[in-house]
């Protein structure tokens, strides 16, 4: 082939490639515009028509006449527990970070102000915030509204106080620490959380005052009949890891340290890591339990939560230890991990899942029947509780190796990987700005009484879609 023909071929290829790049750029710009429009439409609907007192519950009927959290809710009740108010507020903040549009920051500020109005005098939050006296339930002893109620137990159950604090911290930072009420509530809540930490680093499930000092001991097996003895009436005042408390509390402490640059938050984080090391049970079951008494014996909580090794919370503890090791650079927090991973690989059920409970010493998967009697038979377990859970041990082992070798994991997904999902999210948004979910019998937070094919609006779905659109916009901008 002559040189002139080669040059012509190269020119044609170059033009084709250039046209391809231009076409791809035009497609990217068009999708980005669609994503921006969908994001604004959905957020405008949620902020303008769904919000009540600046806050949210879990689910809404399509006509917005009914609302559900843990049971049906009135327009004067909002939920703190995820996926309620803080979850929606953090989605707004992510949209603001991705777009720079003040609309989303104002929406987040309104949500944070709702949380300020529901902060208890003890410093944290409970599951709900009432703006009018409820027909059922207790009115909180709110800092911002003195004299309206008496319930003052701050809760770490199901991420309630943790989610509220994270939302306030992030909003405080986004507002450049200039909103006095939000700033004060965030610091007041963090100080209360630190006062609820025991000398061994543990946290209770709830508190209404600073905790009392207790001896620092290692976890051990009960020397009594745990099935009938050793029950603690106020178990929520003892050391708790239930419902992923380890991960959510550590996230708050890390965020507080990053935002406020105060070493006391990292100190508290390291003390918490020290407790997680202490709480690992001895061989032959080097896992963790849901709750411990002050002597570090595993104890009962609710009637369906026995003293036992827990497959679900142990995974959260392992992930938390790895997280603390990564953040602090201290490898001592990795020491319990290999032993626990080796043990739990032997605990997997035939279907690859992990049991919520394993009996102390025998290591048999432990369940309950409809009468809440302990059994090894899983055929008639109460349906409201997760007796078997997905196993994440392969992922945990990978994260462990990354920290050991100093590998930094990839966090953000590139825009190209998100495009198909973004198109689906845009396609599913209706003309009013709603993402409507059709119930198909799946397990939902709060277990609302929906019948099959019931159509509803979900705060969890809204927040997840807003965050995905925001991730795409941020990634495509980069």
């Amino acid at each position: 082939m002559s040189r002139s023909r080669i040059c012509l071929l190269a020119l044609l290829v170059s033009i084709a490639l250039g046209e391809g790049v231009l076409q791809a750029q035009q497609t990217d710009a068009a999708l980005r515009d669609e994503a921006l429009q969908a994001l604004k439409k959905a957020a405008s609907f949620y902020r303008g028509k769904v919000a009540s007192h600046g806050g949210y519950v879990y689910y809404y009927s399509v006509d917005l006449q009914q609302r559900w959290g843990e049971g049906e809710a009135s327009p004067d009740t909002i939920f703190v527990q995820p996926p309620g108010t803080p979850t929606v507020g953090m989605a707004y903040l992510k949209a603001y970070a991705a777009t720079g549009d003040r609309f989303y920051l104002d929406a987040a500020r309104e949500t944070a102000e709702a949380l300020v109005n529901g902060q208890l005098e003890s410093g944290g939050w409970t599951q709900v915030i009432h703006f009018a006296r409820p027909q059922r339930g207790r009115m909180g002893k709110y800092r911002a509204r003195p004299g309206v109620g008496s319930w003052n137990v701050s809760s770490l159950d199901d991420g309630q106080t943790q989610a509220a604090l994270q939302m306030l911290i992030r909003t405080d930072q986004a507002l450049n620490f200039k909103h006095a009420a939000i700033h004060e509530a965030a610091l007041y809540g963090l100080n209360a959380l630190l006062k609820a930490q025991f000398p061994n680093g543990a946290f209770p499930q709830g508190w209404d005052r600073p905790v009392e000092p207790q001896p620092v001991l290692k976890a051990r097996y009960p020397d009594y009949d745990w099935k009938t003895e050793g029950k603690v009436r106020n178990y929520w005042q003892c050391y708790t890891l239930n419902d992923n408390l380890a991960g959510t509390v550590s996230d708050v402490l890390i965020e507080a340290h990053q935002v406020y640059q105060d070493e006391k938050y990292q100190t508290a984080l390291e003390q918490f890591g020290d407790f997680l090391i202490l709480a690992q049970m001895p061989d032959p079951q080097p896992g963790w339990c849901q709750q411990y008494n002050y002597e570090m014996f595993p104890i009962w909580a609710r009637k369906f939560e026995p003293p036992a090794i827990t497959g679900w919370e142990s995974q959260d503890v392992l992930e938390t230890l790895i997280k603390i090791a990564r953040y602090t650079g201290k490898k001592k927090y990795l020491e319990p991990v290999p032993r626990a991973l080796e043990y739990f690989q032997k605990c997997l059920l035939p279907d690859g899942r992990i049991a919520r409970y394993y009996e102390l010493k025998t290591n048999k998967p432990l369940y309950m029947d409809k009468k809440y009697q302990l059994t090894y038979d899983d055929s008639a377990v109460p349906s409201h509780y997760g007796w078997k859970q997905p196993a994440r041990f392969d992922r945990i082992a990978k994260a462990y190796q990354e920290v050991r070798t100093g590998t930094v994991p990839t966090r953000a997904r590139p825009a190209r990987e998100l495009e198909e999902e973004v198109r689906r999210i845009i396609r599913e948004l209706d003309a009013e700005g709603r993402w409507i979910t059709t119930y198909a019998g799946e397990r939902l937070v709060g277990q609302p009484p929906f019948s099959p094919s019931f159509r509803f609006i979900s705060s969890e779905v809204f927040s997840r879609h807003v965050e995905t659109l925001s991730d795409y916009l941020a990634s495509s901008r980069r």
Side-chain angles (χ1 to χ4, degrees):
M1 184 181 294
S2 68
R3 183 172 180 179
S4 59
R5 288 186 177 182
I6 293 173
C7 291
L8 177 60
L9 180 60
L11 177 62
L12 292 173
V13 170
S14 176
I15 291 171
L17 288 173
E19 288 177 348
V21 170
L22 179 61
Q23 187 176 12
Q25 289 173 341
Q26 290 172 339
T27 302
D28 291 346
L31 183 58
R32 181 177 171 81
D33 286 344
E34 289 181 44
L36 280 167
Q37 292 169 18
L39 183 61
K40 179 60 75 69
K41 179 186 279 191
S44 296
F45 172 77
Y46 232 72
R47 179 189 179 190
K49 295 186 178 180
V50 177
S52 178
H53 300 278
Y56 303 87
V57 297
Y58 302 165
Y59 314 107
Y60 302 84
S61 60
V62 172
D63 62 6
L64 301 181
Q65 296 304 301
Q66 289 179 284
R67 306 152 51 90
W68 296 269
E70 298 279 341
E72 195 158 359
S74 79
D76 291 316
T77 296
I78 64 174
F79 270 69
V80 178
Q81 180 174 318
T85 302
T87 305
V88 175
M90 286 190 276
Y92 288 144
L93 287 173
K94 196 160 195 177
Y96 172 65
T99 65
D101 188 337
R102 181 84 190 191
F103 171 87
Y104 302 109
L105 180 58
D106 288 340
R109 173 186 49 76
E110 292 165 359
T111 306
E113 288 169 346
L115 293 173
V116 171
N117 274 303
Q119 186 177 32
L120 301 176
E121 283 193 7
S122 55
W125 285 260
T126 188
Q127 187 181 58
V128 298
I129 299 171
H130 296 298
F131 288 88
R133 193 163 295 279
Q135 293 181 348
R136 294 177 297 173
R138 295 166 291 206
M139 197 76 171
K141 192 175 183 180
Y142 303 125
R143 286 184 64 229
R145 293 177 282 156
V148 301
S150 59
W151 183 251
N152 196 34
V153 178
S154 295
S155 176
L156 296 175
D157 190 31
D158 289 318
Q160 292 164 19
T161 290
Q162 301 94 302
L165 278 174
Q166 276 194 287
M167 205 266 143
L168 289 183
I169 292 168
R170 293 180 188 180
T171 308
D172 191 22
Q173 183 181 40
L175 293 168
N176 296 316
F177 313 105
K178 292 180 180 179
H179 191 300
I182 292 174
H183 182 69
E184 181 188 5
L187 294 183
Y188 185 92
L190 287 169
N191 287 333
L193 180 66
L194 296 188
K195 291 176 182 177
Q197 188 174 30
F198 289 96
N200 67 355
F203 289 90
Q205 191 176 84
W207 75 88
D208 59 2
R209 60 178 63 88
V211 297
E212 297 292 331
Q214 302 296 335
V216 177
L217 302 168
K218 284 187 65 66
R220 47 198 176 142
Y221 295 97
D223 53 5
Y224 50 81
D225 183 359
W226 57 264
K227 294 181 181 179
T228 58
E229 300 177 46
K231 295 186 177 183
V232 179
R233 181 179 179 183
N234 293 344
Y235 65 86
W236 47 270
Q237 294 177 330
C238 295
Y239 312 142
T240 306
L241 296 173
N242 193 17
D243 287 330
N244 296 340
L245 179 144
T248 53
V249 168
S250 63
D251 286 342
V252 170
L253 295 172
I254 289 171
E255 196 126 24
H257 182 250
Q258 290 174 334
V259 171
Y260 298 117
Q261 297 294 302
D262 192 324
E263 290 304 311
K264 66 184 179 184
Y265 302 121
Q266 180 161 331
T267 298
L269 177 71
E270 293 181 12
Q271 290 173 341
F272 188 38
D274 293 340
F275 167 73
L276 298 179
I277 294 173
L278 290 171
Q280 186 177 30
M281 292 295 288
D283 288 336
Q285 296 172 290
W288 287 263
C289 306
Q290 280 184 331
Q291 51 276 316
Y292 305 77
N293 63 15
Y294 299 143
E295 296 178 300
M296 287 296 278
F297 293 133
I299 57 170
W300 286 87
R302 291 172 292 185
K303 63 182 178 180
F304 47 85
E305 294 174 327
I309 304 297
T310 169
W312 181 246
E313 282 80 6
S314 289
Q315 292 185 99
D316 179 53
V317 170
L318 287 167
E319 290 166 340
T320 301
L321 285 167
I322 293 168
K323 183 193 310 178
I324 294 173
R326 186 188 300 280
Y327 190 75
T328 63
K330 296 185 177 180
K331 298 295 179 67
K332 72 173 182 177
Y333 299 110
L334 298 177
E335 189 277 330
V337 175
R339 194 163 69 256
L341 286 174
E342 182 180 1
Y343 159 68
F344 278 113
Q345 287 297 335
K346 301 173 184 176
C347 295
L348 295 177
L349 301 172
D351 63 2
R353 290 187 292 173
I354 194 80
R356 186 70 177 257
Y357 299 116
Y358 291 85
E359 189 174 45
L360 297 176
K361 294 188 176 180
T362 72
N363 210 50
K364 294 179 181 178
L366 197 58
Y367 307 99
M368 285 193 174
D369 59 22
K370 297 292 185 182
K371 295 181 180 180
Y372 294 100
Q373 297 173 322
L374 290 168
T375 177
Y376 304 124
D377 181 4
D378 66 346
S379 62
V381 296
S383 60
H384 65 83
Y385 202 64
W387 300 96
K388 297 179 181 180
Q389 297 288 343
R392 306 189 299 273
F393 297 110
D394 289 345
R395 193 167 74 197
I396 292 169
K398 180 182 177 184
Y400 167 74
Q401 291 299 336
E402 287 176 345
V403 175
R404 283 193 65 214
T405 59
T407 305
V408 179
T410 303
R411 297 293 184 189
R413 291 168 63 190
R416 290 290 183 203
E417 289 185 11
L418 292 166
E419 285 181 359
E420 184 177 346
E421 189 175 355
V422 165
R423 288 191 174 94
R424 176 185 59 80
I425 288 171
I426 294 171
R427 192 168 56 247
E428 291 175 355
L429 187 70
D430 73 5
E432 294 185 44
R434 306 173 300 184
W435 284 297
I436 296 176
T437 302
T438 301
Y439 184 59
E442 66 273 24
R443 183 180 176 87
L444 295 174
V445 177
Q447 301 179 61
F450 297 162
S451 56
S453 300
F454 179 76
R455 299 170 74 241
F456 63 97
I457 297 167
S458 164
S459 288
E460 182 178 14
V461 170
F462 168 80
S463 302
R464 185 171 67 246
H465 287 356
V466 165
E467 293 200 356
T468 300
L469 291 175
S470 300
D471 284 341
Y472 170 75
L473 290 168
S475 184
S476 63
R477 182 180 62 199
R478 287 194 294 271

